[in-house]
Amino acid sequence: MKLLPDRFPIDDSLAEILEELNKNQCLLVKAETGAGKTTRLPPYICEHTDKKVLVLEPRRLAAKLSASRCAQILESKIGDRVGHHIRFDKKTNKNTELLFITEGLFLSYLRNDPSLKDYGTIILDEFHERSIHTDLALSLIIHLQKTSRPDLKLIVMSATLETDNLERFISRPKVFHIKGRTFPIDIEYMTISPNEAIVQMLEDHRCSKNILVFLPGMKEIKKIERELKDNISPNIEILPLHSSLSKKDQDRAFKGSNRKIILSTNIAETSLTIPNITGVIDIGLERRASFAPWSGMPLLLLSKISKASAIQRSGRAGRIESGLTYRLYDQADYARRENFTPPEIKRVDLSNHILNLLNFGIDPVEFNWFEQPEERNLKRALDLLDLLDATENGKITQKGRFLAKLPLHPRLSSMLYEAKDDDNINDILLSICIISEDFILKRTSEFHDDDHEPCDLTIQCNLLKSYHFNDKKLSDYPLSYLDTKKAKRALDLYESLKHSLSIDKNLEKKSCHHQQFKKALLAGFCDRVAQRREAKTKKARFDTYKLCLGRGGVLSKRSALLNSKHNYVIALSATEDPKANAAIGTKIDVASSISVDDLLNQKSSLLSQERETVLNAKKGILSLTKNSKYGGLVIKSEALPPVVAKGQDLIYAIIESWPWPFESEDELNLYNQKVEILNNLEVSHQCPLLTGDMFELFIHSIIDEELSYEELAKKKLRTLIEEQLSPQDLYTIQELTPNLIKLENSKSFQVHYDEEIPYIRARIQDLYGIKSNPVICDGMIVLKVKLLSPADRVAQVIGDLMGFWKSSWPEVKKDLKARYPKHFWPEDPINSEPLRVKRK
């Protein structure tokens, strides 16, 4: 094992870490920038333990480069003693003892071996990045340790950021604080372009070696790479660094003696150590994992980095000597940024992860998450799985187990499940790969007024086939529409899935037809059906679409269906503007047409039958329509013969047209208000609240088969309610919550129950002679009193009549006496007669 000649700060702690690992289940290694944790600890553990070591990395490039460096340390070749496994790239064999994988693959390892019996130690690297895969892996490993693998060792490695929650979750593990190799760094804030910053830093004496520029993505990297070539010396290398590069191109950033400008995504933030960096330029942005609410497909959204990320980026400049950082935003902007990047579990789609938990026999609601997902996101994921028939009553179904085995979003796995026996399985699999890659057309591609197409997905499939077979005849559109990098990734995924599913047939060299995809698309995107609404004015150029689960939208210019006027479409990709009008707030970019028959012929919980009635109240005649509904859309209507409202039809008419045939529902509201009072006071009774299902049951109970609406209308609603109560309950409600209350001065008042505290309305003079507060419910409720002036206007609202007489009465009397001198305003109202006008 070659740990020398280089020495890293963590080297002095390796023996102690190993000793503690032998004693404990879990360790936490908090290491500063340059400590060497990723490439020194894993090979050391591997060298001194019997079982295999599995290292989870958040990024593909980090996994490959870390494995390569550890192979050098262990004097091995990649794929032998040290291996790596990332998407479409697996180098490992039966002798592999140290394996680096990307976090997203961990669940597949757990599926293949639920106890991970071949592995003795699992290392979670760069935990502070808080991807959902890391969170889930941590929770599942702790679960394993508590169940089938108490001998399994866990090391969590993190930058020296806040880890209090982590330490609590894994029961106060032994924590190692490893200092890094860092030098002082000058940080400057400036608002200039990245190109200007690079040129300026090349001349800055504080940066003598390589410059690392942090950019959000490949698009920005390519743009600056093109622009720089004409502005700097040809002796300076301009090198991109991102996960999609070949190993040869990636290695250029780490080798050679020429001065370099490395244009990198945030993969260089913590996971990789690039040699000889003394300058960092940080534009303060990153593409952050999120998901498309309409498709559930993953998205990368442009966001401002957190303060923690900014600190990590700056640290890259101080690994070998004093360094320099330009932050291309102002200091006030930095101060306003969040302290840490929000964990992915708060911002990504959970359905695939929930499905995997269910497949492992774990209840996601009861699961001991490291950080509990938001309730609404958890519910949304569970609802989707239920809609896709992957679950039933919270339990995974046979279909769900099939979906869980595939490295796809459950929507796409559901499409594959529907098509697994289809003759067109290859074309459908190709379409699934296109959706998985977030579609393969260039962002600049737009369709024209004379393009009338039934399916955007068919266009993209045929373009991909045209590219794959190098045959222009397979597509009606030019290859210039195609994003070739996405196209290659889609084809790679196709080949991988084809192999894993053991599909023998090859892709046919013929064009696809949109009819091939309808069943599969409905299986995966059944909740994304939209109905066209004709433009109501000439100004509105395009029709709008109403989505089956609410809100509405318009087709964008990126969809070839824009001018086709299809009555129904499935929205496969859309962006929603929550601030826009709900009727047009969704912009549909990719869609496929669908017919009413297609919707009616599928088995879906969204499909329902509903009867609509139009009541002629004077004649008691019902006009009936049977509607077939898909979610909130009426997709088919059938008129039925009109009927006289009797029996079941009368019940239906009352529920739909309430309070017909009664003049008002005041009596029902009054009854419910009284029952609420009895419930709040915990009075023993059996009076039901007539709301929801109980209201419908009440309507059923008052109707018999022969009762007509005219006979019912003659009855009083109050009488019908009281007939449903037992004598004891009727007595309770009448005694405790009376409609009228008679006070000790012989005056009677109506009791009102439409406010939180019941009350009476009374002229002040009518309350003279009252020596105690008016009460109901055996004295448990003191009534409010709305005092009326002689003009019957509310003069004051009081909750304590006796207190009012004793304290406020003199002032109120003075005011009222001046305004109404003919009325009786006694000095002692408690002992006076209830007279309104003075006696002559």
PDB file of all heavy atoms in Angstrom, residues 493-514:
ATOM      1  N   LEU A 493     -29.221   4.371 -22.865  1.00  0.00           N
ATOM      2  CA  LEU A 493     -30.202   3.855 -21.909  1.00  0.00           C
ATOM      3  C   LEU A 493     -31.048   2.760 -22.550  1.00  0.00           C
ATOM      4  O   LEU A 493     -31.355   1.737 -21.916  1.00  0.00           O
ATOM      5  CB  LEU A 493     -31.095   4.996 -21.407  1.00  0.00           C
ATOM      6  CG  LEU A 493     -32.182   4.615 -20.400  1.00  0.00           C
ATOM      7  CD1 LEU A 493     -31.594   3.970 -19.154  1.00  0.00           C
ATOM      8  CD2 LEU A 493     -33.023   5.837 -20.013  1.00  0.00           C
ATOM      9  N   TYR A 494     -31.407   2.965 -23.808  1.00  0.00           N
ATOM     10  CA  TYR A 494     -32.182   1.954 -24.535  1.00  0.00           C
ATOM     11  C   TYR A 494     -31.434   0.616 -24.568  1.00  0.00           C
ATOM     12  O   TYR A 494     -32.000  -0.437 -24.266  1.00  0.00           O
ATOM     13  CB  TYR A 494     -32.478   2.443 -25.958  1.00  0.00           C
ATOM     14  CG  TYR A 494     -33.043   1.372 -26.867  1.00  0.00           C
ATOM     15  CD1 TYR A 494     -34.393   1.054 -26.830  1.00  0.00           C
ATOM     16  CD2 TYR A 494     -32.210   0.667 -27.730  1.00  0.00           C
ATOM     17  CE1 TYR A 494     -34.905   0.053 -27.644  1.00  0.00           C
ATOM     18  CE2 TYR A 494     -32.714  -0.322 -28.552  1.00  0.00           C
ATOM     19  CZ  TYR A 494     -34.070  -0.639 -28.500  1.00  0.00           C
ATOM     20  OH  TYR A 494     -34.573  -1.636 -29.293  1.00  0.00           O
ATOM     21  N   GLU A 495     -30.165   0.659 -24.918  1.00  0.00           N
ATOM     22  CA  GLU A 495     -29.375  -0.579 -25.006  1.00  0.00           C
ATOM     23  C   GLU A 495     -29.249  -1.239 -23.640  1.00  0.00           C
ATOM     24  O   GLU A 495     -29.323  -2.465 -23.516  1.00  0.00           O
ATOM     25  CB  GLU A 495     -27.983  -0.276 -25.582  1.00  0.00           C
ATOM     26  CG  GLU A 495     -27.988   0.114 -27.055  1.00  0.00           C
ATOM     27  CD  GLU A 495     -28.508  -1.006 -27.960  1.00  0.00           C
ATOM     28  OE1 GLU A 495     -28.393  -2.195 -27.585  1.00  0.00           O
ATOM     29  OE2 GLU A 495     -29.060  -0.682 -29.025  1.00  0.00           O
ATOM     30  N   SER A 496     -29.064  -0.422 -22.594  1.00  0.00           N
ATOM     31  CA  SER A 496     -28.932  -0.962 -21.239  1.00  0.00           C
ATOM     32  C   SER A 496     -30.218  -1.653 -20.791  1.00  0.00           C
ATOM     33  O   SER A 496     -30.197  -2.772 -20.265  1.00  0.00           O
ATOM     34  CB  SER A 496     -28.567   0.170 -20.273  1.00  0.00           C
ATOM     35  OG  SER A 496     -28.566  -0.280 -18.943  1.00  0.00           O
ATOM     36  N   LEU A 497     -31.355  -0.993 -21.007  1.00  0.00           N
ATOM     37  CA  LEU A 497     -32.643  -1.575 -20.600  1.00  0.00           C
ATOM     38  C   LEU A 497     -32.989  -2.791 -21.452  1.00  0.00           C
ATOM     39  O   LEU A 497     -33.533  -3.784 -20.942  1.00  0.00           O
ATOM     40  CB  LEU A 497     -33.743  -0.514 -20.707  1.00  0.00           C
ATOM     41  CG  LEU A 497     -33.694   0.615 -19.673  1.00  0.00           C
ATOM     42  CD1 LEU A 497     -34.703   1.693 -20.010  1.00  0.00           C
ATOM     43  CD2 LEU A 497     -33.946   0.080 -18.275  1.00  0.00           C
ATOM     44  N   LYS A 498     -32.700  -2.714 -22.726  1.00  0.00           N
ATOM     45  CA  LYS A 498     -32.960  -3.840 -23.631  1.00  0.00           C
ATOM     46  C   LYS A 498     -32.214  -5.091 -23.150  1.00  0.00           C
ATOM     47  O   LYS A 498     -32.757  -6.199 -23.132  1.00  0.00           O
ATOM     48  CB  LYS A 498     -32.541  -3.459 -25.051  1.00  0.00           C
ATOM     49  CG  LYS A 498     -32.796  -4.521 -26.118  1.00  0.00           C
ATOM     50  CD  LYS A 498     -32.519  -3.928 -27.491  1.00  0.00           C
ATOM     51  CE  LYS A 498     -32.611  -4.979 -28.581  1.00  0.00           C
ATOM     52  NZ  LYS A 498     -31.449  -5.855 -28.645  1.00  0.00           N
ATOM     53  N   HIS A 499     -30.981  -4.877 -22.721  1.00  0.00           N
ATOM     54  CA  HIS A 499     -30.174  -5.994 -22.231  1.00  0.00           C
ATOM     55  C   HIS A 499     -30.735  -6.537 -20.913  1.00  0.00           C
ATOM     56  O   HIS A 499     -30.895  -7.751 -20.747  1.00  0.00           O
ATOM     57  CB  HIS A 499     -28.724  -5.536 -22.040  1.00  0.00           C
ATOM     58  CG  HIS A 499     -27.846  -6.572 -21.398  1.00  0.00           C
ATOM     59  ND1 HIS A 499     -27.415  -7.703 -22.067  1.00  0.00           N
ATOM     60  CD2 HIS A 499     -27.338  -6.651 -20.132  1.00  0.00           C
ATOM     61  CE1 HIS A 499     -26.687  -8.434 -21.250  1.00  0.00           C
ATOM     62  NE2 HIS A 499     -26.618  -7.814 -20.075  1.00  0.00           N
ATOM     63  N   SER A 500     -31.054  -5.633 -19.971  1.00  0.00           N
ATOM     64  CA  SER A 500     -31.528  -6.076 -18.652  1.00  0.00           C
ATOM     65  C   SER A 500     -32.902  -6.727 -18.731  1.00  0.00           C
ATOM     66  O   SER A 500     -33.242  -7.585 -17.906  1.00  0.00           O
ATOM     67  CB  SER A 500     -31.551  -4.903 -17.670  1.00  0.00           C
ATOM     68  OG  SER A 500     -32.456  -3.903 -18.088  1.00  0.00           O
ATOM     69  N   LEU A 501     -33.710  -6.345 -19.716  1.00  0.00           N
ATOM     70  CA  LEU A 501     -35.049  -6.924 -19.887  1.00  0.00           C
ATOM     71  C   LEU A 501     -35.044  -8.146 -20.801  1.00  0.00           C
ATOM     72  O   LEU A 501     -36.097  -8.731 -21.051  1.00  0.00           O
ATOM     73  CB  LEU A 501     -36.010  -5.872 -20.445  1.00  0.00           C
ATOM     74  CG  LEU A 501     -36.325  -4.691 -19.520  1.00  0.00           C
ATOM     75  CD1 LEU A 501     -36.980  -3.562 -20.305  1.00  0.00           C
ATOM     76  CD2 LEU A 501     -37.215  -5.129 -18.370  1.00  0.00           C
ATOM     77  N   SER A 502     -33.864  -8.480 -21.313  1.00  0.00           N
ATOM     78  CA  SER A 502     -33.697  -9.652 -22.210  1.00  0.00           C
ATOM     79  C   SER A 502     -34.623  -9.574 -23.418  1.00  0.00           C
ATOM     80  O   SER A 502     -35.305 -10.559 -23.770  1.00  0.00           O
ATOM     81  CB  SER A 502     -33.956 -10.957 -21.428  1.00  0.00           C
ATOM     82  OG  SER A 502     -33.091 -11.055 -20.328  1.00  0.00           O
ATOM     83  N   ILE A 503     -34.658  -8.407 -24.043  1.00  0.00           N
ATOM     84  CA  ILE A 503     -35.453  -8.235 -25.265  1.00  0.00           C
ATOM     85  C   ILE A 503     -34.609  -8.677 -26.451  1.00  0.00           C
ATOM     86  O   ILE A 503     -33.541  -8.118 -26.715  1.00  0.00           O
ATOM     87  CB  ILE A 503     -35.903  -6.761 -25.427  1.00  0.00           C
ATOM     88  CG1 ILE A 503     -36.822  -6.371 -24.258  1.00  0.00           C
ATOM     89  CG2 ILE A 503     -36.618  -6.563 -26.757  1.00  0.00           C
ATOM     90  CD1 ILE A 503     -37.210  -4.908 -24.250  1.00  0.00           C
ATOM     91  N   ASP A 504     -35.063  -9.693 -27.165  1.00  0.00           N
ATOM     92  CA  ASP A 504     -34.288 -10.270 -28.269  1.00  0.00           C
ATOM     93  C   ASP A 504     -34.415  -9.451 -29.550  1.00  0.00           C
ATOM     94  O   ASP A 504     -33.471  -9.340 -30.329  1.00  0.00           O
ATOM     95  CB  ASP A 504     -34.739 -11.718 -28.546  1.00  0.00           C
ATOM     96  CG  ASP A 504     -34.481 -12.613 -27.341  1.00  0.00           C
ATOM     97  OD1 ASP A 504     -33.495 -12.364 -26.632  1.00  0.00           O
ATOM     98  OD2 ASP A 504     -35.278 -13.544 -27.101  1.00  0.00           O
ATOM     99  N   LYS A 505     -35.601  -8.902 -29.782  1.00  0.00           N
ATOM    100  CA  LYS A 505     -35.828  -8.165 -31.031  1.00  0.00           C
ATOM    101  C   LYS A 505     -34.996  -6.892 -31.079  1.00  0.00           C
ATOM    102  O   LYS A 505     -34.778  -6.237 -30.067  1.00  0.00           O
ATOM    103  CB  LYS A 505     -37.317  -7.790 -31.154  1.00  0.00           C
ATOM    104  CG  LYS A 505     -38.236  -8.982 -31.373  1.00  0.00           C
ATOM    105  CD  LYS A 505     -39.698  -8.567 -31.266  1.00  0.00           C
ATOM    106  CE  LYS A 505     -40.072  -7.555 -32.331  1.00  0.00           C
ATOM    107  NZ  LYS A 505     -41.504  -7.191 -32.257  1.00  0.00           N
ATOM    108  N   ASN A 506     -34.526  -6.556 -32.276  1.00  0.00           N
ATOM    109  CA  ASN A 506     -33.783  -5.313 -32.471  1.00  0.00           C
ATOM    110  C   ASN A 506     -34.713  -4.196 -32.929  1.00  0.00           C
ATOM    111  O   ASN A 506     -35.833  -4.453 -33.399  1.00  0.00           O
ATOM    112  CB  ASN A 506     -32.677  -5.514 -33.515  1.00  0.00           C
ATOM    113  CG  ASN A 506     -31.564  -6.404 -33.002  1.00  0.00           C
ATOM    114  OD1 ASN A 506     -31.169  -6.288 -31.839  1.00  0.00           O
ATOM    115  ND2 ASN A 506     -31.068  -7.291 -33.844  1.00  0.00           N
ATOM    116  N   LEU A 507     -34.239  -2.980 -32.783  1.00  0.00           N
ATOM    117  CA  LEU A 507     -34.998  -1.819 -33.233  1.00  0.00           C
ATOM    118  C   LEU A 507     -35.190  -1.901 -34.745  1.00  0.00           C
ATOM    119  O   LEU A 507     -34.237  -2.130 -35.488  1.00  0.00           O
ATOM    120  CB  LEU A 507     -34.227  -0.556 -32.871  1.00  0.00           C
ATOM    121  CG  LEU A 507     -35.001   0.756 -32.770  1.00  0.00           C
ATOM    122  CD1 LEU A 507     -36.090   0.670 -31.719  1.00  0.00           C
ATOM    123  CD2 LEU A 507     -34.029   1.887 -32.434  1.00  0.00           C
ATOM    124  N   GLU A 508     -36.442  -1.752 -35.174  1.00  0.00           N
ATOM    125  CA  GLU A 508     -36.735  -1.877 -36.608  1.00  0.00           C
ATOM    126  C   GLU A 508     -36.486  -0.554 -37.328  1.00  0.00           C
ATOM    127  O   GLU A 508     -36.788   0.516 -36.809  1.00  0.00           O
ATOM    128  CB  GLU A 508     -38.184  -2.308 -36.821  1.00  0.00           C
ATOM    129  CG  GLU A 508     -38.470  -3.729 -36.351  1.00  0.00           C
ATOM    130  CD  GLU A 508     -39.876  -4.165 -36.710  1.00  0.00           C
ATOM    131  OE1 GLU A 508     -40.164  -4.268 -37.923  1.00  0.00           O
ATOM    132  OE2 GLU A 508     -40.685  -4.378 -35.792  1.00  0.00           O
ATOM    133  N   LYS A 509     -35.997  -0.696 -38.554  1.00  0.00           N
ATOM    134  CA  LYS A 509     -35.703   0.484 -39.364  1.00  0.00           C
ATOM    135  C   LYS A 509     -36.959   0.920 -40.101  1.00  0.00           C
ATOM    136  O   LYS A 509     -37.081   0.814 -41.317  1.00  0.00           O
ATOM    137  CB  LYS A 509     -34.581   0.160 -40.358  1.00  0.00           C
ATOM    138  CG  LYS A 509     -34.010   1.376 -41.069  1.00  0.00           C
ATOM    139  CD  LYS A 509     -32.863   0.971 -41.978  1.00  0.00           C
ATOM    140  CE  LYS A 509     -32.309   2.154 -42.737  1.00  0.00           C
ATOM    141  NZ  LYS A 509     -31.211   1.764 -43.645  1.00  0.00           N
ATOM    142  N   LYS A 510     -37.920   1.404 -39.317  1.00  0.00           N
ATOM    143  CA  LYS A 510     -39.160   1.927 -39.891  1.00  0.00           C
ATOM    144  C   LYS A 510     -39.732   2.972 -38.946  1.00  0.00           C
ATOM    145  O   LYS A 510     -39.469   2.950 -37.738  1.00  0.00           O
ATOM    146  CB  LYS A 510     -40.176   0.820 -40.150  1.00  0.00           C
ATOM    147  CG  LYS A 510     -40.705   0.146 -38.909  1.00  0.00           C
ATOM    148  CD  LYS A 510     -41.788  -0.875 -39.280  1.00  0.00           C
ATOM    149  CE  LYS A 510     -42.429  -1.460 -38.024  1.00  0.00           C
ATOM    150  NZ  LYS A 510     -43.481  -2.446 -38.343  1.00  0.00           N
ATOM    151  N   SER A 511     -40.515   3.878 -39.502  1.00  0.00           N
ATOM    152  CA  SER A 511     -41.069   4.977 -38.717  1.00  0.00           C
ATOM    153  C   SER A 511     -42.098   4.474 -37.708  1.00  0.00           C
ATOM    154  O   SER A 511     -42.788   3.480 -37.941  1.00  0.00           O
ATOM    155  CB  SER A 511     -41.713   6.023 -39.632  1.00  0.00           C
ATOM    156  OG  SER A 511     -40.761   6.563 -40.510  1.00  0.00           O
ATOM    157  N   CYS A 512     -42.184   5.198 -36.585  1.00  0.00           N
ATOM    158  CA  CYS A 512     -43.189   4.881 -35.562  1.00  0.00           C
ATOM    159  C   CYS A 512     -44.502   5.576 -35.908  1.00  0.00           C
ATOM    160  O   CYS A 512     -44.525   6.590 -36.618  1.00  0.00           O
ATOM    161  CB  CYS A 512     -42.732   5.382 -34.197  1.00  0.00           C
ATOM    162  SG  CYS A 512     -41.132   4.778 -33.681  1.00  0.00           S
ATOM    163  N   HIS A 513     -45.596   5.038 -35.350  1.00  0.00           N
ATOM    164  CA  HIS A 513     -46.911   5.666 -35.489  1.00  0.00           C
ATOM    165  C   HIS A 513     -47.456   5.956 -34.096  1.00  0.00           C
ATOM    166  O   HIS A 513     -47.275   5.156 -33.167  1.00  0.00           O
ATOM    167  CB  HIS A 513     -47.860   4.740 -36.246  1.00  0.00           C
ATOM    168  CG  HIS A 513     -49.131   5.410 -36.667  1.00  0.00           C
ATOM    169  ND1 HIS A 513     -50.226   5.503 -35.838  1.00  0.00           N
ATOM    170  CD2 HIS A 513     -49.468   6.044 -37.817  1.00  0.00           C
ATOM    171  CE1 HIS A 513     -51.204   6.152 -36.460  1.00  0.00           C
ATOM    172  NE2 HIS A 513     -50.766   6.494 -37.669  1.00  0.00           N
ATOM    173  N   HIS A 514     -48.125   7.100 -33.939  1.00  0.00           N
ATOM    174  CA  HIS A 514     -48.536   7.509 -32.596  1.00  0.00           C
ATOM    175  C   HIS A 514     -49.519   6.542 -31.940  1.00  0.00           C
ATOM    176  O   HIS A 514     -49.626   6.493 -30.716  1.00  0.00           O
ATOM    177  CB  HIS A 514     -49.121   8.934 -32.624  1.00  0.00           C
ATOM    178  CG  HIS A 514     -50.550   9.010 -33.079  1.00  0.00           C
ATOM    179  ND1 HIS A 514     -50.906   8.929 -34.398  1.00  0.00           N
ATOM    180  CD2 HIS A 514     -51.701   9.159 -32.368  1.00  0.00           C
ATOM    181  CE1 HIS A 514     -52.216   9.038 -34.498  1.00  0.00           C
ATOM    182  NE2 HIS A 514     -52.718   9.177 -33.293  1.00  0.00           N
TER     183      HIS A 514
END
